[in-house]
Amino acid sequence: MDPDLLARFAQIVGDAYAIIDPAEIAPHLIERRDLYHGTSPLVLRPGSVDEVAAILKLANETATPIVPQGGNTGLVGAQIPHNGEVVLSLTRLNAIRSVDPDNDTMTVEAGVVLDEIHKAADAVDRFFPLSLGSEGSCQIGGNLSTNAGGTAVLAYGNTRALVLGLEVVLADGRIWNGLRALRKDNTGYDLKDLFVGAEGTLGVITAAVIKLFPKPSETATAFVAIQDPAGALKLFAHARAKAGSQLTACEILPRIGLEFVFRHAPGTRDPLAEAYPWYVLVELSSPLEGADLDGLMQAILEDAFEDGTVLDAALASSTQQALDFWQIRLMMSEVQRLEGGSIKSDVSVPVGKVAEMLERGIETVSAMIPGVRPVPFGHLGDGNIHFNFSQPEGADREAFMAQWGPVTDAIDDLVMEFGGSISAEHGIGFMKRHLMEHIKQPVELELMRSIKATLDPKGILNPGKVV
Ligand SMILES: Cc1cc2nc3c(=O)[nH]c(=O)nc-3n(C[C@H](O)[C@H](O)[C@H](O)COP(=O)(O)OP(=O)(O)OC[C@H]3O[C@@H](n4cnc5c(N)ncnc54)[C@H](O)[C@@H]3O)c2cc1C
């Protein structure tokens, strides 16, 4: 990078926040799955919206490409500078600007870590439902930009459903203050929806008005053994019919995933006395005191036990036990790393098709790679499965990982056949951009490209991602 230009960028944030030391830049160039290693001459850490605006203005004038970065927990390589772009880290924009319990809203800056939002909501006796395995490090700006899903989508929707207003710095440095805290506002196009899920390609989100909810006062959590995914779907349908909106999570887990967790996550243990092929983690919750959710859960499980759907179940008798059940679920993706290579897909199909999709996907990939260990798990209630495959025991990691393309192609083809999505919650980013031509109609792609060209005519925002 031209030293004069670098100095102009550094002047905007001050030398202390313009990182040029390669050792300090290094963590911004890699991501959790170790699939991508980027390059960048400069990481900028602005401390105000005006500084973000000044950075983008200069970047636009000088056609300098910028990659916005939040907590760097994204799983599709979208936050990585693949071609020497400047990294714009939002970490210092971490103020909670206001909390309004009367309106059930909170105004937060982009760099606030999700866990901090949970704590701030709790402090006013409210609840922010977005919950991800990465919540200790991902930031709300990243959550919005990826339209993150997580374990509570079933009851509360994904991040798009949790936001009322945004503040965004546009590619040319203009600031759009759309921080409206309204549940009803039909005054033209809903611009905020353009930026949610745009993966930093249309603007830089600097703040958001997010929705708060009544805090659940009762929760019932059960760890349930079932024979197969068809049984899991039956249990889900039954639980939903009986509990309605009080069914707040329904996650499916395979036995092998539990074995990985028990092997690698200290302190975890099997909630049930015997091993079973599959499990469902069911959560009911309600803000109403005296809702008797344990009684409701027991009734659901008894019915399902009688018709043979449920093989065994443990109902958490304490908050700690419920957390222990959740810990098994939340460790599921982390422990796969410790079992060698893992090929991962994040897909969704209509809920009723999950069992058939799993059966056919496992069959297909097992035929391609004898001994492969399927570890599909995830948000059954949303039809969203993390369709992952661990390498055969003792296999060569590199050789296995070289199968990433053929394996994910096979899963993607299957998912498309079922009318599903090849990216349910992680986004397109860098990893899946080459698939856009196959999964989107020409008219959709044309619209996306014309929106991109309107908002970022010089293509400085996260180039090479999404479209
Ligand atoms: C253990 C683990 C579990 C996970 N579980 C889930 C899950 O259940 N559901 C799920 O959906 N995801 C999950 N993820 C993926 C990831 O945590 C989410 O995508 C998260 O929303 C990313 O937030 P981040 O702050 O880390 O963003 P980053 O990774 O830094 O960035 C992600 C994208 O957003 C853009 N971006 C970041 N901040 C801004 C901003 N302020 N303005 C504009 N663009 C911006 C980046 O350019 C990039 O395109 C998981 C990841 C891990 C490591």
Side-chain angles (χ1 to χ4, degrees):
M1 189 179 199
D2 172 55
D4 288 343
L5 182 57
L6 194 147
R8 287 172 73 193
F9 277 116
Q11 205 178 19
I12 295 170
V13 293
D15 285 342
Y17 300 111
I19 302 168
I20 49 170
D21 175 357
E24 281 184 66
I25 290 178
H28 296 272
L29 308 180
I30 51 172
E31 40 71 59
R32 294 286 181 102
R33 287 184 177 165
D34 201 27
L35 291 174
Y36 306 109
H37 291 220
T39 55
S40 175
L42 178 64
V43 175
L44 295 169
R45 300 182 61 223
S48 69
V49 181
D50 287 341
E51 286 181 8
V52 175
I55 290 168
L56 290 196
K57 188 167 184 293
L58 178 58
N60 199 47
E61 279 165 13
T62 56
T64 308
I66 298 281
V67 176
Q69 196 175 84
N72 191 9
T73 67
L75 297 175
V76 288
Q79 74 281 18
I80 299 300
H82 294 264
N83 290 303
E85 298 92 335
V86 171
V87 174
L88 178 64
S89 166
L90 279 303
T91 309
R92 285 179 67 223
L93 287 190
N94 62 356
I96 292 178
R97 290 191 190 164
S98 64
V99 184
D100 183 349
D102 293 333
N103 197 41
D104 279 327
T105 51
M106 193 190 290
T107 304
V108 289
E109 293 188 343
V112 181
V113 170
L114 182 54
D115 245 358
E116 296 302 318
I117 293 178
H118 292 154
K119 286 183 201 151
D122 197 60
V124 292
D125 203 29
R126 296 291 187 277
F127 175 61
F128 184 62
L130 182 65
S131 176
L132 319 178
S134 55
E135 61 199 28
S137 37
C138 65
Q139 301 172 4
I140 190 69
N143 302 146
L144 286 157
S145 300
T146 56
N147 187 25
T151 52
V153 173
L154 181 61
Y156 298 96
N158 48 23
T159 309
R160 189 184 298 282
L162 303 175
V163 60
L164 294 176
L166 288 183
E167 178 185 78
V168 179
V169 178
L170 302 177
D172 60 8
R174 280 178 297 163
I175 300 171
W176 172 50
N177 182 339
L179 290 174
R180 297 186 189 98
L182 302 173
R183 282 175 174 75
K184 288 191 155 184
D185 177 18
N186 280 351
T187 53
Y189 306 137
D190 195 340
L191 295 178
K192 75 176 183 316
D193 268 339
L194 278 179
F195 300 99
V196 176
E199 301 181 59
T201 61
L202 299 181
V204 174
I205 296 172
T206 46
V209 181
I210 55 174
K211 289 187 203 170
L212 302 179
F213 293 81
K215 201 155 79 175
S217 60
E218 254 196 61
T219 302
T221 311
F223 206 86
V224 187
I226 34 113
Q227 187 60 40
D228 50 27
L233 280 179
K234 229 171 136 186
L235 175 62
F236 167 63
H238 182 57
R240 198 173 45 174
K242 282 250 174 187
S245 61
Q246 295 177 112
L247 175 64
T248 44
C250 189
E251 302 281 310
I252 187 168
L253 315 166
R255 175 69 202 173
I256 190 172
L258 267 69
E259 281 163 12
F260 287 4
V261 171
F262 303 145
R263 200 144 58 220
H264 301 293
T268 53
R269 63 185 189 87
D270 199 332
L272 301 171
E274 283 178 38
Y276 296 92
W278 289 86
Y279 301 86
V280 180
L281 181 59
V282 184
E283 182 193 83
L284 308 179
S285 59
S286 168
L288 300 178
E289 279 177 32
D292 188 21
L293 294 182
D294 277 352
L296 179 57
M297 183 73 90
Q298 265 159 8
I300 291 167
L301 294 176
E302 271 164 25
D303 290 348
F305 193 74
E306 269 168 30
D307 75 8
T309 307
V310 166
L311 307 177
D312 196 2
L315 179 55
S317 58
S318 65
T319 308
Q320 186 54 51
Q321 206 180 4
L323 290 174
D324 291 347
F325 293 176
W326 271 109
Q327 181 68 356
I328 295 171
R329 163 65 186 86
L330 294 175
M331 289 307 293
M332 196 74 22
S333 67
E334 199 66 13
V335 292
Q336 277 168 68
R337 208 169 34 86
L338 304 167
E339 286 285 328
S342 179
I343 297 176
K344 305 189 178 209
S345 289
D346 162 45
V347 298
S348 66
V349 290
V351 178
K353 302 286 183 198
V354 167
E356 205 182 331
M357 191 260 301
L358 281 171
E359 192 185 331
R360 285 187 47 200
I362 290 171
E363 199 179 277
T364 304
V365 177
S366 301
M368 292 166 75
I369 308 175
V372 74
R373 294 175 295 167
V375 196
F377 68 95
H379 318 298
L380 177 75
D382 313 327
N384 173 196
I385 298 295
H386 300 305
F387 209 156
N388 298 351
F389 293 88
S390 283
Q391 67 176 62
E393 274 178 274
D396 177 65
R397 185 181 190 279
E398 299 263 300
F400 176 73
M401 292 303 275
Q403 298 292 310
W404 185 292
V407 168
T408 53
D409 284 354
I411 297 297
D412 289 349
D413 286 349
L414 187 61
V415 163
M416 295 306 284
E417 193 186 314
F418 283 109
S421 169
I422 62 148
S423 184
E425 59 177 11
H426 295 161
I428 292 296
F430 182 76
M431 178 188 274
K432 298 185 178 177
R433 186 186 167 212
H434 66 288
L435 299 171
M436 290 294 267
E437 299 278 348
H438 305 295
I439 61 167
K440 294 288 180 198
Q441 297 164 37
V443 67
E444 284 179 292
L445 280 177
E446 277 162 29
L447 283 172
M448 285 189 184
R449 286 179 184 138
S450 58
I451 290 168
K452 170 76 177 168
T454 302
L455 288 174
D456 180 20
K458 292 195 180 171
I460 60 156
L461 285 171
N462 219 356
K465 318 288 170 54
V466 187
V467 285

